[in-house]
Amino acid sequence: MSHIILPTAFLPPLARLRTFSGAHVSASLRSLRDFYWPSVPSRLTVPVRKASTRIHDQSVPDSGYASAEEDDDEDDEGGEEESDGLTDEDEDILRADPIERAFAIKWITGFISRSDVWIEDTLDEAEAETRRDLVEEAAQIVSAFAGDDEETECAVTRSFEFNGSVKVELNDAPLSSEDHTSVGLQSWASSILLAEKMCGSPGTFGLDKSRPLRVLELGAGTGLLSIVAAKLLGVPEPTIIATDYHSDVLANLSANVQTNFPCSSFVIDIRRFDWESPDFSHPMDKPFDIILAADVIYHAKHAEWIKGCVERLLTPNGTFWLMIPLRSTGRHEGMDHTVEAVFPESEMAFGLVVLEKKTIGRQGGVGRADEGGYKLFKIGWAI
């Protein structure tokens, strides 16, 4: 190949997605496949890697769930880059370029998150069916990105079974040694324990099949809580939205949803959501009956930002379930107190309050060395 065009040049701006036909998007996806997987068939799958050991190290990374800003590149079509007489090594270097790869992952996850509007924007049923097929194809490309990342040689496929009936399979990708905001690439003990409790007593957590529900997960990471909620609620499908901030986390999250619901990529809606600068446009424009979050407080400001979001997003009778680890050492020591500072006890308080609080002891074989236990908050509106 003596001529190569980079993703920043050939992927169309998502801000104008509604103006592009299925044929245009199909060509873009084909170019993306040809760029990253030139010798692989179009139907891509995630390589499965099994491991029996944990990959959590003893360090305590910062959270990547929220950030003050992000480059807005939706309207930037990029500039075409060419190279003549490229060797195979040159091509491999271009494919491994972290900026191009991050752009491609962000584009494909952004495309999936906007796909519902794009599909509904045509009255031609054949075109609509083509667009639905392309969204499925995009989900497979996301899975491929999650599966062949250069760091995933140490990735772990983890299988969970809760209450003897709810089975979940997740890809835990290794944390980047250069990007401390990628914490959501792994499944943490707080989410595992909360998922176990949800499966043991769905009614306690408001997971009632008899009524339509809107469920939101903040800082979803690998998506364990959202996937468990979807499996507990079953059909007809509830509205479940899993959110996170980091582009690599969102890509891995999309792959995990696809793994657990291979027949439908629409069971869980995946969205980028920044707590510090939240976007409350569709589908975040309507309140939620249940909001879930686990191990998402890594800075005193996080509790404040989350409270602002939950105040806007929780229905009058809704419940916000928050599980966090109790760390007695390190820079994240005492983060549970930041939650208690912004969510007061229910007595003589107004607004969002702590309705119930329960301390859970450390579970054998689960959790990091710096986690001495866990605290589960049930938060709602003061009566």
Coordinates of all heavy atoms in Angstrom, one line a residue, residues 214-216 239 241 280-289 291 312-315:
R214 N -36.9 3.8 34.3 CA -35.7 4.4 33.7 C -34.6 4.3 34.7 O -34.7 4.7 35.9 CB -35.9 5.9 33.4 CG -36.8 6.1 32.2 CD -37.1 7.6 32.0 NE -35.9 8.4 31.9 CZ -35.2 8.6 30.7 NH1 -35.5 7.9 29.6 NH2 -34.1 9.4 30.7
V215 N -33.5 3.6 34.3 CA -32.3 3.3 35.2 C -31.1 4.0 34.6 O -30.8 3.9 33.4 CB -32.1 1.8 35.3 CG1 -30.9 1.5 36.2 CG2 -33.4 1.1 35.8
L216 N -30.3 4.6 35.4 CA -29.1 5.3 35.0 C -27.9 4.8 35.9 O -28.0 4.6 37.1 CB -29.2 6.8 35.2 CG -28.0 7.7 35.1 CD1 -27.5 7.7 33.6 CD2 -28.2 9.1 35.5
T239 N -35.6 1.2 30.1 CA -34.7 2.2 29.6 C -33.5 2.2 30.6 O -33.6 2.7 31.7 CB -35.3 3.6 29.5 OG1 -36.4 3.6 28.6 CG2 -34.3 4.6 29.1
I241 N -29.5 3.4 30.9 CA -28.4 4.2 30.3 C -27.2 4.1 31.1 O -27.2 4.4 32.3 CB -28.9 5.7 30.1 CG1 -30.1 5.8 29.2 CG2 -27.7 6.5 29.6 CD1 -30.7 7.2 29.1
F280 N -27.6 17.8 29.7 CA -28.9 17.2 30.0 C -29.8 17.1 28.8 O -31.0 17.1 29.0 CB -29.5 18.0 31.2 CG -28.8 17.9 32.5 CD1 -28.1 19.0 33.0 CD2 -28.7 16.7 33.2 CE1 -27.4 18.9 34.2 CE2 -28.0 16.6 34.4 CZ -27.4 17.7 34.9
S281 N -29.2 17.1 27.7 CA -30.1 16.9 26.5 C -30.4 15.4 26.3 O -30.0 14.6 27.1 CB -29.3 17.4 25.2 OG -28.1 16.7 25.0
H282 N -31.3 15.1 25.4 CA -31.7 13.7 25.2 C -30.6 12.7 25.1 O -29.5 13.0 24.5 CB -32.5 13.6 23.8 CG -33.0 12.2 23.5 ND1 -34.1 11.7 24.1 CD2 -32.4 11.3 22.7 CE1 -34.2 10.4 23.7 NE2 -33.3 10.2 22.8
P283 N -30.6 11.6 25.9 CA -31.7 11.1 26.6 C -31.7 11.4 28.1 O -32.4 10.8 28.9 CB -31.5 9.6 26.4 CG -30.1 9.4 26.5 CD -29.5 10.7 25.8
M284 N -30.9 12.4 28.5 CA -30.7 12.8 29.9 C -31.7 13.9 30.3 O -31.6 14.5 31.3 CB -29.3 13.2 30.2 CG -28.2 12.3 29.7 SD -28.2 10.7 30.5 CE -27.5 11.1 32.0
D285 N -32.7 14.1 29.4 CA -33.6 15.2 29.6 C -34.8 14.8 30.4 O -35.7 15.6 30.8 CB -34.1 15.8 28.3 CG -34.7 14.8 27.4 OD1 -34.4 13.6 27.6 OD2 -35.4 15.2 26.4
K286 N -34.9 13.5 30.7 CA -36.0 13.0 31.6 C -35.5 12.3 32.8 O -34.4 11.7 32.8 CB -36.9 12.0 30.8 CG -37.6 12.5 29.5 CD -38.3 11.5 28.8 CE -39.0 12.1 27.6 NZ -39.8 11.0 26.8
P287 N -36.2 12.4 33.9 CA -35.6 11.9 35.2 C -35.6 10.4 35.2 O -36.3 9.7 34.5 CB -36.6 12.5 36.3 CG -37.9 12.7 35.5 CD -37.5 13.1 34.1
F288 N -34.9 9.8 36.2 CA -34.7 8.4 36.3 C -35.3 7.9 37.7 O -35.2 8.6 38.7 CB -33.2 8.0 36.2 CG -32.6 8.3 34.9 CD1 -32.1 9.5 34.6 CD2 -32.5 7.3 33.9 CE1 -31.6 9.8 33.3 CE2 -32.0 7.5 32.7 CZ -31.5 8.8 32.4
D289 N -35.8 6.7 37.6 CA -36.4 6.1 38.8 C -35.3 5.5 39.7 O -35.4 5.5 41.0 CB -37.3 4.9 38.5 CG -38.5 5.4 37.5 OD1 -39.3 6.1 38.0 OD2 -38.4 5.1 36.3
I291 N -30.9 5.4 40.1 CA -29.6 5.8 39.7 C -28.6 4.9 40.5 O -28.7 4.8 41.7 CB -29.3 7.3 39.9 CG1 -30.3 8.1 39.1 CG2 -27.9 7.6 39.5 CD1 -30.1 9.6 39.3
R312 N -30.8 16.9 39.5 CA -31.4 17.1 38.2 C -32.1 15.9 37.6 O -33.1 15.9 36.9 CB -30.4 17.7 37.2 CG -30.9 18.0 35.8 CD -31.8 19.3 35.8 NE -32.1 19.6 34.4 CZ -31.4 20.4 33.6 NH1 -30.4 21.1 34.1 NH2 -31.8 20.7 32.4
L313 N -31.5 14.7 37.9 CA -31.9 13.5 37.2 C -32.8 12.5 38.0 O -33.3 11.6 37.3 CB -30.6 12.7 36.8 CG -29.7 13.4 35.8 CD1 -28.4 12.7 35.6 CD2 -30.4 13.6 34.4
L314 N -33.0 12.7 39.3 CA -33.7 11.7 40.0 C -35.2 12.1 40.2 O -35.5 13.2 40.5 CB -33.1 11.6 41.4 CG -33.6 10.4 42.3 CD1 -33.3 9.1 41.7 CD2 -33.1 10.5 43.7
T315 N -36.1 11.1 39.9 CA -37.5 11.4 40.0 C -37.9 11.7 41.5 O -37.1 11.3 42.4 CB -38.4 10.2 39.6 OG1 -38.1 9.1 40.4 CG2 -38.1 9.9 38.1

